[in-house]
Amino acid sequence: MADHLDLHTVGDLLHHYPRRYAERGELTRLSDLPLDEHVTVVAQVADARVHTFNGGRGRRLEVTITDGSGRLQLVFFGKGVHKPRAELQPGTRAMFAGKVSVFNRKRQLAHPEFKALGAESGAEAVEAFAHQLLPLYPACKQMESWQIQQAIDTVLGPVGHEETALAGLVDPLPDSLREGRGLATLPEALRKIHRPATKTDIAMARDRLKWDEAFVLQVALARRRRADAQLPAAPRKPVPDGLLTAFDARLPFTLTDGQRRVSEEIFADLATDHPMHRLLQGEVGSGKTMVALRAMLGVVDAGGQAAMLAPTEVLAQQHHRSITEMMGELAEGGMLGGAEQGTKVVLLTGSMGAAARRQALLDLVTGEAGIVIGTHALIEDKVQFHDLGLVVVDEQHRFGVEQRDALRSKGKQPPHLLVMTATPIPRTVAMTVFGDLETSVLDQLPSGRSPIASHVVPAKDKPHFLTRAWERVREEVAAGHQGYVVCPRIGDDIGDEGDAPKGAASPSPEDEAEKRPPLAVVEVAEQLIKGPLSGLRVEVLHGRMQPEAKDDVMRRFAAGEVDVLVATTVIEVGVNVPNATAMVIMDADRFGVSQLHQLRGRVGRGSAAGLCLLVTDMPEGSPARARLGAVAATLDGFELSRIDLEQRREGDVLGQAQSGVRSSLRVLAVIDDEEVIAAAREEAAAIVADDPELTGYPELRTALDALLDKEREEYLDKG
């Protein structure tokens, strides 16, 4: 149990809540059983027969069970026949669990686990059985639902005496809060969630347990906000008529209202004497980089330095290129032809040559370079700053807490921090995951951005749609534009950054499309060059190429010397080629919703309209097709992030997927429980303001320590 379900203590077991409850009638819809899934059913044995085969040497027990809504066959072979043959006599009622398969076009359970429920006698017993709420627990092959229930029953003791077993529990909710909100005590909630008499019991238990999760988490975040607010920082106020003013004057366009508003929020934070901790989230292409650059220039004006951390070398080079282009002679401070108020903008990545690297390090330590853009190479010990004032982290979720702290420690005082994410985050998730950061939202696209038309291309159902997709790419190239083809993998013989796309939902096993490996860049590029895109200039880009080769391909693509770039998701974030108008995403069902939205944001960045084609082999009506349909139907990233979250469940939100941490959300649903989260945040803020060390709340401290085990704290810090 410990290994498979991560349950190690009695407490873990008590907090392993039922996934759902079934009344007898609900459980036994034998007609509705899903294929290839582990199920638990309650039914009555209608018939049981032993058949022999192989000249009498082999034995097979076939048991037919029914519940009035349908019939299902169970099969047992060999030595596994004896126990069920003795226990599963016609008329026996039992719980059965196993994986639903098909044999001779009929659904069956092969060698299911089972537990007889005892013969009911008398109307009362039957009635009690009929209406009993049976808890069904998140289970696995090695530990079925009722085995978990048996373990919990052992812990809780006899019915009616649970209070004794639960007496020593630490209750994290202060009495005043619990009573003020009319919530159940913890022992009562645990008894009712595991042994409910009515559906009202379940609702009451869940309401209480949701508060536990929301409140303890919000206290942790409130304490972190408070600790950050205590740190000293140097205020950074831009000087009038300095670098920022000169930069604004040379902009060929006006900032959007959103960019202005967010800039004001950032400059107000930078002017204070404690470090800014702000999350800047915005739609793909909403101009976050422009806002971040203006903040960096303001800090340089105030005598400090700014560092921008990007997750990949491709992205660091791209940022460096676009920022130096936007700044023009302002990025050539101290050089011939450089502007008087200018500064130096340097790039620092792991693959730079020794001489260039030495010069970049020198420019940083002397303060000659006001702005540095780089990958995690920026965090290495030998990198020293003259006066680091602001750190901008692009695509925050790819940086760990140690990295953030390492960079922060390079300032004389903690630098201000601006975190940018292009994955729009629903408000509740921002409150829950990024609750220690102030949030700014850019939800307007700058003028000049073009609409993107998105379509699903069902390659298997309608092969001619795929043929047409390649024709559309050719048409875009003929019109003087460029395109991307995105694949989930690099190639069979090469290790791969794209094998398991982030947030990708695995399609249901019955779909044949899932049975083949995901399409790979190297093979797809070869097929396109020989086939539908022959004659066009097609190049590949993926994470295993040498940095110089990657940069060379990106430069040539940006310069218009490459017509079609066949790439992995290395192009997902920040790549900006306004002339690229078409994108074909192969095996689009292998990517998550937010990732598809990110990828799509690479086209339509100029004056010509964008086109995004989502190619899939998934059949109509499958969840994967529905997901792709949702992406094609809206360009609203906030709406898509809600869909993504609902589909992936919240376990991922709090890092279960990323860090394997046990304390993921169990009953709290980030999307549905907005009111609980908002109320818990207020209660937590009040308690932490009143008693920062929680000396008056020893139980809450204990619960916090359990929540913030080492790994969990790191994950929260990443937020």
Side-chain angles (χ1 to χ4, degrees):
M1 198 187 297
D3 292 345
H4 297 291
L5 292 170
D6 206 9
L7 304 176
H8 301 270
T9 65
V10 167
D12 292 344
L13 188 61
L14 287 173
H15 289 291
H16 187 72
Y17 309 131
R19 188 165 39 99
R20 63 186 181 93
Y21 300 83
E23 290 175 286
R24 183 178 134 237
E26 178 189 56
L27 246 183
T28 50
R29 300 286 309 165
L30 292 183
S31 46
D32 299 340
L33 292 181
L35 264 185
D36 279 327
E37 282 192 24
H38 270 276
V39 296
T40 303
V41 297
V42 170
Q44 193 162 7
V45 177
D47 184 44
R49 296 173 190 212
V50 175
H51 300 269
T52 57
F53 54 93
N54 276 359
R57 289 194 301 277
R59 310 178 74 200
R60 179 175 79 247
L61 171 66
E62 289 182 2
V63 179
T64 305
I65 57 172
T66 179
D67 63 336
S69 81
R71 295 166 83 82
L72 181 69
Q73 190 153 324
L74 317 177
V75 289
F76 301 88
F77 293 97
K79 291 180 181 163
V81 162
H82 304 304
K83 183 173 182 280
R85 187 182 182 189
E87 295 183 17
L88 297 179
Q89 297 296 321
T92 305
R93 191 178 299 281
M95 273 176 104
F96 303 92
K99 193 172 183 182
V100 183
S101 58
V102 169
F103 180 70
N104 276 348
R105 293 199 288 197
K106 285 187 179 166
R107 293 175 188 223
Q108 66 168 29
L109 297 182
H111 284 279
E113 300 280 333
F114 63 90
K115 177 191 175 193
L117 290 170
E120 288 79 40
S121 54
E124 277 179 31
V126 171
E127 188 64 17
F129 179 82
H131 290 106
Q132 186 189 355
L133 288 161
L134 302 168
L136 295 178
Y137 291 89
C140 61
K141 197 174 175 183
Q142 292 79 4
M143 178 64 67
E144 295 292 356
S145 173
W146 69 68
Q147 294 170 299
I148 295 168
Q149 188 185 351
Q150 281 175 332
I152 287 170
D153 280 345
T154 306
V155 171
L156 291 176
V159 174
H161 296 83
E162 296 90 351
E163 301 297 325
T164 319
L166 299 171
L169 283 174
V170 173
D171 189 338
L173 290 195
D175 290 344
S176 56
L177 188 160
R178 187 176 55 71
E179 287 158 12
R181 296 204 171 256
L183 298 167
T185 64
L186 187 55
E188 187 187 2
L190 288 172
R191 176 174 62 77
K192 286 181 172 173
I193 201 136
H194 292 298
R195 289 179 174 172
T198 62
K199 289 184 177 172
T200 310
D201 280 358
I202 299 168
M204 189 187 287
R206 290 178 71 86
D207 284 349
R208 159 63 214 241
L209 296 167
K210 279 178 183 180
W211 259 91
D212 282 16
E213 289 184 5
F215 178 69
V216 175
L217 189 58
Q218 292 300 337
V219 167
L221 291 165
R223 291 187 74 197
R224 182 158 294 116
R225 279 197 303 278
R226 191 178 184 285
D228 285 342
Q230 308 298 312
L231 294 169
R236 308 284 179 172
K237 294 180 185 169
V239 294
D241 301 325
L243 185 55
L244 180 60
T245 313
F247 175 75
D248 284 349
R250 57 170 283 135
L251 280 180
F253 50 82
T254 53
L255 298 174
T256 64
D257 294 344
Q259 286 175 317
R260 276 207 194 80
R261 174 178 44 77
V262 170
S263 286
E264 280 164 20
E265 291 168 354
I266 290 170
F267 284 121
D269 282 359
L270 290 172
T272 61
D273 55 9
H274 58 84
M276 164 172 81
H277 285 98
R278 190 167 280 280
L279 172 72
L280 170 56
Q281 54 164 322
E283 274 291 12
V284 178
S286 57
K288 292 180 298 297
T289 310
M290 173 60 69
V291 169
L293 175 55
R294 293 185 74 247
M296 293 197 289
L297 295 173
V299 167
V300 174
D301 269 348
Q305 290 170 294
M308 182 185 254
L309 224 64
T312 64
E313 290 209 352
V314 167
L315 193 51
Q317 287 159 343
Q318 171 87 32
H319 275 318
H320 182 254
R321 204 160 37 237
S322 60
I323 283 173
T324 48
E325 277 167 19
M326 282 195 276
M327 288 176 64
E329 73 271 15
L330 295 173
E332 297 163 3
M335 293 186 244
L336 206 60
E340 195 187 332
Q341 317 93 314
T343 186
K344 239 182 184 182
V345 179
V346 301
L347 176 69
L348 191 61
T349 61
S351 63
M352 282 170 78
R357 186 179 174 76
R358 234 185 344 265
Q359 184 59 52
L361 291 172
L362 187 64
D363 288 341
L364 285 180
V365 77
T366 60
E368 190 80 13
I371 295 176
V372 58
I373 295 152
T375 55
H376 52 251
L378 274 180
I379 303 165
E380 291 168 13
D381 291 343
K382 31 174 120 66
V383 181
Q384 297 297 322
F385 289 85
H386 177 64
D387 180 11
L388 181 61
L390 170 67
V391 175
V392 178
V393 179
D394 191 12
E395 285 301 303
Q396 160 68 3
H397 56 276
R398 308 193 188 188
F399 284 96
V401 62
E402 307 91 342
Q403 293 164 308
R404 199 164 96 179
D405 282 347
L407 195 55
R408 198 184 262 176
S409 66
K410 290 185 179 293
K412 297 191 174 89
Q413 288 181 317
H416 299 279
L417 176 73
L418 180 65
V419 169
M420 299 198 295
T421 174
T423 308
I425 303 163
R427 176 172 166 260
T428 36
V429 182
M431 277 197 297
T432 308
V433 183
F434 296 94
D436 58 336
L437 300 171
E438 298 298 322
T439 304
S440 296
V441 178
L442 274 176
D443 46 15
Q444 237 181 313
L445 292 186
S447 56
R449 288 302 302 256
S450 299
I452 304 169
S454 305
H455 304 283
V456 178
V457 178
K460 200 160 191 186
D461 306 352
K462 299 179 178 167
H464 59 286
F465 275 37
L466 184 58
T467 309
R468 177 71 190 122
W470 300 126
E471 285 171 7
R472 284 291 291 114
V473 172
R474 292 192 83 100
E475 285 163 17
E476 289 298 312
V477 172
H481 299 302
Q482 294 160 278
Y484 299 98
V485 176
V486 182
C487 304
R489 271 186 332 124
I490 295 172
D492 284 339
D493 51 339
I494 313 175
D496 199 344
E497 82 251 31
D499 268 337
K502 293 184 314 298
S506 56
S508 48
E510 70 260 38
D511 291 330
E512 286 168 32
E514 162 66 358
K515 298 204 171 85
R516 63 162 173 75
L519 292 170
V521 166
V522 179
E523 286 120 47
V524 168
E526 206 173 306
Q527 290 160 11
L528 292 176
I529 290 165
K530 289 177 185 163
L533 300 186
S534 64
L536 301 187
R537 297 169 298 176
V538 178
E539 297 259 1
V540 299
L541 178 71
H542 55 71
R544 295 295 154 108
M545 288 163 61
Q546 287 301 313
E548 307 79 55
K550 273 193 287 198
D551 199 36
D552 176 56
V553 171
M554 269 319 299
R555 268 180 200 287
R556 287 187 295 112
F557 186 64
E561 295 163 19
V562 173
D563 297 321
V564 178
L565 192 60
V566 184
T568 55
T569 53
V570 297
I571 61 146
E572 177 188 349
V573 178
V575 170
N576 184 25
V577 179
N579 191 45
T581 53
M583 175 175 286
V584 180
I585 302 178
M586 307 302 290
D587 278 343
D589 48 88
R590 312 261 177 151
F591 300 94
V593 169
S594 293
Q595 198 174 26
L596 290 170
H597 184 57
Q598 282 291 333
L599 287 164
R600 170 171 64 185
R602 300 304 111 216
V603 295
R605 300 180 79 84
S607 53
L611 172 70
C612 179
L613 302 174
L614 306 167
V615 180
T616 178
D617 279 357
M618 288 294 160
E620 203 165 354
S622 61
R625 274 284 281 279
R627 202 170 71 240
L628 296 179
V631 175
T634 178
L635 290 172
D636 181 342
F638 287 90
E639 175 56 31
L640 287 173
S641 68
R642 284 182 80 95
I643 293 169
D644 198 18
L645 195 62
E646 280 159 7
Q647 296 208 333
R648 285 195 293 149
R649 313 277 316 155
E650 288 83 13
D652 285 5
V653 173
L654 290 187
Q656 194 175 37
Q658 290 86 338
S659 64
V661 174
R662 183 175 64 251
S663 320
S664 194
L665 296 188
R666 294 185 174 95
V667 282
L668 192 70
V670 175
I671 289 283
D672 301 335
D673 295 320
E674 183 159 359
E675 285 170 25
V676 175
I677 292 167
R681 185 178 167 98
E682 277 177 34
E683 295 273 12
I687 280 179
V688 170
D690 183 49
D691 182 358
E693 294 308 310
L694 304 178
T695 32
Y697 304 96
E699 295 86 358
L700 178 54
R701 281 198 70 113
T702 306
L704 264 183
D705 293 342
L707 174 80
L708 298 179
D709 54 38
K710 183 85 179 78
E711 284 182 286
R712 175 53 175 253
E713 192 150 41
E714 281 176 22
Y715 186 75
L716 270 178
D717 267 330
K718 285 183 198 174

